[in-house]
Structure formats: structure tokens, C-alpha cells
């Protein structure tokens, strides 16, 4: 007979979970495994809210399991380490991102690409090696194999760096892989939201000239003056878009909603690259003619491996990069989800788990 979430493991845990596709979160008692030889246990202090949390809560992608405790932008302080843990000690500032397990035997794992492992285990809503379901960071404690734990440098504030564990690596990885990180390059960022604003910060730190492409003229001042973008295009302004034709070496497209790709392809130079990192619910239409005429590339990218995630966090610490955040208490989370659905956040919600998650 299957055990309840509260009885599966020896360590009592508490968080907020959705029970069905309504996506409504409420207090939830469950359990975490005991600290294994290679495990790191930490007290969760902050957890970012990712747009994918909203999709998972509503089962938009069709593979959610309930009860579901979301959260894969998790940071806190180590409280216990296993006997064979080599890289962490009690008191360290650490984080866990989108992946907590993989096969460690495939080609992707051998190349530090655990995120692309066919057997990768996501931080919540997936079956772990022991057969139990993983629960995310909207909770008081986290236990993870040290391989999947990221060290947070002391100069990074935990609340502001939490979203980097998903949003940060999701834009950093494609910039590196597709060669859009070279000083002086012209790179566009589509969408100035949770991913987009971080993409601007990373690109500027790499020495890239950044053009923000947005549907909202209201974001121009913030993009240019606060985030340091070099130029701004309103995607619905045909004159602006026409004047910028053929100017960009690459584009990072962060939009998670339906939108046309043809105007973006027109902004690329010959050999330019359009990289999709947003995940719309429905397929986008891909016009082939502009690809052929300019030998252009459309690609995609999904977060990054653990080694690259650590590299990204260290780069962020060196250049003082954090997310622009709105810190919220745990009991505000359902309101925050509604606001996120309306894109009413600038630019990332972060839950103050340490001070506001109350088990009573």
C-alpha cells in the first residue's frame, strides 16, 4: 500500500502545494529523505516564482502530478551534509535549480549537460531514483545530492540571486553556446520580463550591444536607463522594425506566448541566430523563406548543466548581477500567480520562505 507524502520519508517537511489543475496552493505536510552520504540538506530561505511554475500548477504541459509543490529557484543555508560530501559544509550559502537527478552514464551527462539527459529528474513533479515524487522549493527544507547543489558566492544576496538558478542560466547558456557573448556583437532580447531583463544584464556584462524588442513602449525608459540596453524597438511599430532590418547578430527570444517569428528573422544579419528560450503552449509558425535567403538559424535552449550553472552564478557575482525582484510572503503566493499570469510583476516574484512560511 502506497504511503502518504507525510510518511514516505523520515524527515518532516512543510510547504505549499496544489492538489489539482485549479492550481490553487495551500499548506501541505510532507516529508524529505534523510541526509544520505552524498546529500546536502539546507534550510530554504527564498524561492523564486518561475513562469513554468504557473504552467505546471495548471497542468498546461500535460505531465503535472498532484499534490505538486513547485519551485526550482531555491536558495538557503546548509544545515547538514552527508559523510561523503566533499564540497559543502554547514553554514554555506547554496542553491538548487531545475534538475536534481540524471543517469550519469549518457553522452549528455558525460558532457556536463544533465539538463538534456533523457532520464533527468526535475526538482519537482518528477519521480526520483527511489520512486517517490520530487517536491520543490515552496517548502522549509531541501535535500539534494551535492552534484546538483550550487555554491552561492558571499557577495550575492540570496533573494536577488534565487531567480538566476532558472531565469539566469536559461539566458546565459544560449548566449555562450550560440556564440552571442562576444564584445561588440549586436544582440536582441525579445521580452523584458523575468528572463529578458536578466538577459540584458548578462549581455551587457559580456560587452555585447543590446537591443530590447518589446510590445510595450512603456518599458523603453527602464530598458535604456536602468538596465543599460543600447537601443529599444517596439515590435508593433513597423517603421522602427523596418529601420532595424539586418542589424542583429543574434536574438534571445524569451516570450512564452504566441507571437510571430517573421519580423524577428528580418532583424537578423545573414548567418544570424534566433534562439528560443520561452515555451509557448502552442506551436509557433516558422517561415522558411527568410531562413533560406539569409542562411539564418532558429535554435532553442533549455536551462544549463550544473557546471555551467555554477559558472553563471560566479559570473553574476563578479559583475554584481541579480534579478529585479518583488519579495512576497508565502500566503500571497496565489495572488502572485494571478499577477504573473497578467505579466504584472517587475520582474520576478521571490517568496520569503525563511520568514513567512509558517507550519501552524
Amino acid at each position: 500500500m502506497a504511503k502518504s507524502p507525510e510518511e514516505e520519508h523520515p524527515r518532516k517537511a512543510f510547504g505549499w502545494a496544489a492538489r489539482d489543475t485549479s492550481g490553487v496552493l495551500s499548506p501541505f505536510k510532507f516529508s524529505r529523505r534523510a541526509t544520505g552520504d552524498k546529500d546536502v540538506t539546507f534550510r530554504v530561505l527564498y524561492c523564486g516564482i518561475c513562469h513554468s511554475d504557473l504552467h505546471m500548477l495548471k497542468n498546461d504541459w500535460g505531465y503535472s502530478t498532484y499534490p505538486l509543490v513547485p519551485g526550482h529557484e531555491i536558495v538557503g543555508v546548509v544545515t547538514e551534509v552527508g559523510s561523503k560530501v566533499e564540497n559543502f559544509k554547514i553554514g554555506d550559502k547554496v542553491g538548487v535549480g531545475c534538475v536534481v537527478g540524471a543517469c550519469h552514464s549518457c553522452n549528455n551527462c558525460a558532457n556536463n549537460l544533465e539538463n538534456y539527459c533523457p532520464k533527468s529528474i526535475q526538482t519537482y513533479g518528477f519521480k526520483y531514483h527511489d520512486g517517490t515524487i520530487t517536491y520543490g522549493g515552496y517548502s522549509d527544507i531541501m535535500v539534494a545530492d551535492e552534484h546538483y547543489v550550487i555554491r552561492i558566492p558571499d557577495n550575492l544576496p540570496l533573494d536577488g540571486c534565487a531567480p538566476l538558478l532558472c531565469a539566469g542560466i536559461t539566458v546565459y547558456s544560449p548566449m555562450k553556446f550560440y556564440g552571442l557573448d562576444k564584445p561588440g556583437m549586436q544582440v536582441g532580447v525579445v521580452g523584458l520580463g523575468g528572463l529578458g531583463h536578466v538577459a540584458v544584464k548578462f549581455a551587457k556584462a559580456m560587452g555585447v550591444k543590446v537591443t530590447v524588442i518589446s510590445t510595450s513602449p512603456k518599458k523603453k525608459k527602464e530598458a535604456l536607463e536602468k538596465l543599460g540596453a543600447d537601443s529599444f524597438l517596439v515590435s508593433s511599430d513597423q517603421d522602427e522594425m523596418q529601420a532595424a532590418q539586418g542589424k542583429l547578430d543574434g536574438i534571445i527570444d524569451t516570450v512564452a506566448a504566441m507571437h510571430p517569428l517573421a519580423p524577428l528573422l528580418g532583424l537578423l544579419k545573414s548567418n544570424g541566430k534566433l534562439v528560443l528560450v520561452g515555451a509557448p503552449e502552442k506551436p509557433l509558425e516558422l517561415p522558411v523563406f527568410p531562413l533560406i535567403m539569409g542562411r539564418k538559424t532558429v535554435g532553442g535552449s533549455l536551462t544549463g548543466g550544473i557546471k555551467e550553472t555554477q559558472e553563471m552564478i560566479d559570473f553574476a557575482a563578479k559583475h554584481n548581477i541579480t534579478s529585479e525582484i518583488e519579495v512576497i510572503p508565502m500566503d500571497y503566493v496565489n495572488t502572485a500567480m494571478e499577477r504573473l499570469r497578467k505579466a504584472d510583476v517587475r520582474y520576478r516574484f521571490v517568496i520569503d520562505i525563511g520568514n513567512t512560511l509558517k507550519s501552524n
Side-chain angles (χ1 to χ4, degrees), residues 211-218 220 224 231-248 263 266-267:
T211 298
V212 171
I213 305 156
S214 175
T215 58
S216 175
K218 296 178 183 177
K220 181 174 183 178
L224 299 177
S231 55
F232 187 92
L233 293 175
V234 179
S235 56
S236 59
D237 188 319
Q238 294 186 2
D239 291 339
E240 280 191 13
M241 294 290 282
Q242 184 61 39
Q245 293 283 294
K247 298 287 182 66
L248 301 178
L267 298 175

Side-chain angles (χ1 to χ4, degrees), residues 55-273:
H55 286 301
M56 287 291 287
L57 287 170
K58 301 280 191 179
N59 197 28
D60 288 337
W61 295 328
Y63 60 82
S64 298
T65 57
Y66 300 95
L68 185 129
V69 178
H72 57 209
E73 300 175 346
I74 316 164
V75 292
V77 175
V78 175
T79 57
E80 188 178 6
V81 296
S83 60
K84 296 181 180 178
V85 168
E86 299 176 356
N87 299 312
F88 300 95
K89 65 183 186 305
I90 293 172
D92 284 350
K93 292 164 60 176
V94 296
V96 165
C98 301
V99 179
V100 292
C103 75
H104 295 282
S105 59
C106 69
N107 188 58
N108 285 323
C109 286
N111 286 286
N112 299 303
L113 295 170
E114 300 91 346
N115 54 314
Y116 296 120
C117 172
K119 297 181 180 179
S120 71
I121 301 169
Q122 294 184 16
T123 303
Y124 67 85
F126 268 56
K127 188 172 288 189
Y128 197 64
H129 299 301
D130 62 5
T132 62
I133 298 299
T134 56
Y135 295 116
Y138 295 16
S139 59
D140 55 358
I141 58 169
M142 191 73 192
V143 183
D145 185 295
E146 78 161 326
H147 181 86
Y148 297 92
V149 178
I150 304 299
R151 179 179 300 280
I152 308 296
D154 286 337
N155 68 309
L156 281 180
L158 286 178
D159 54 358
C161 83
L164 300 182
L165 293 169
C166 176
I169 188 60
T170 296
V171 295
Y172 180 90
S173 183
M175 287 180 190
K176 301 289 285 189
F177 179 79
Y178 288 99
L180 303 178
D181 60 340
K182 309 296 187 293
M185 293 188 87
Q186 300 276 354
V187 174
V189 174
V190 187
L192 197 64
L195 273 66
H197 88 283
V198 178
V200 174
K201 291 187 176 189
F202 276 119
K204 289 301 298 179
M206 293 168 180
V208 169
K209 294 187 182 301
V210 181
T211 298
V212 171
I213 305 156
S214 175
T215 58
S216 175
K218 296 178 183 177
K219 293 187 176 181
K220 181 174 183 178
K221 182 177 181 180
E222 183 152 6
L224 299 177
E225 297 180 11
K226 184 171 183 179
L227 298 176
D230 299 279
S231 55
F232 187 92
L233 293 175
V234 179
S235 56
S236 59
D237 188 319
Q238 294 186 2
D239 291 339
E240 280 191 13
M241 294 290 282
Q242 184 61 39
Q245 293 283 294
K247 298 287 182 66
L248 301 178
D249 296 291
I251 295 173
I252 302 293
D253 184 347
T254 71
V255 176
M258 296 295 292
H259 61 290
L261 298 182
L264 301 178
L265 292 171
L267 298 175
L268 294 173
K269 299 175 182 177
S270 296
N271 305 314
K273 301 164 184 175

Side-chain angles (χ1 to χ4, degrees), residues 309-321:
T309 301
Q310 185 67 63
E311 175 190 308
M312 176 274 304
I313 285 287
D314 293 341
F315 182 90
K318 180 179 179 181
H319 295 278
N320 295 309
I321 295 172

Side-chain angles (χ1 to χ4, degrees), residues 16 328-335 351 356:
W16 279 46
I328 63 168
M330 187 73 243
D331 61 7
Y332 186 79
V333 67
N334 289 307
T335 302
I351 308 169
T356 69

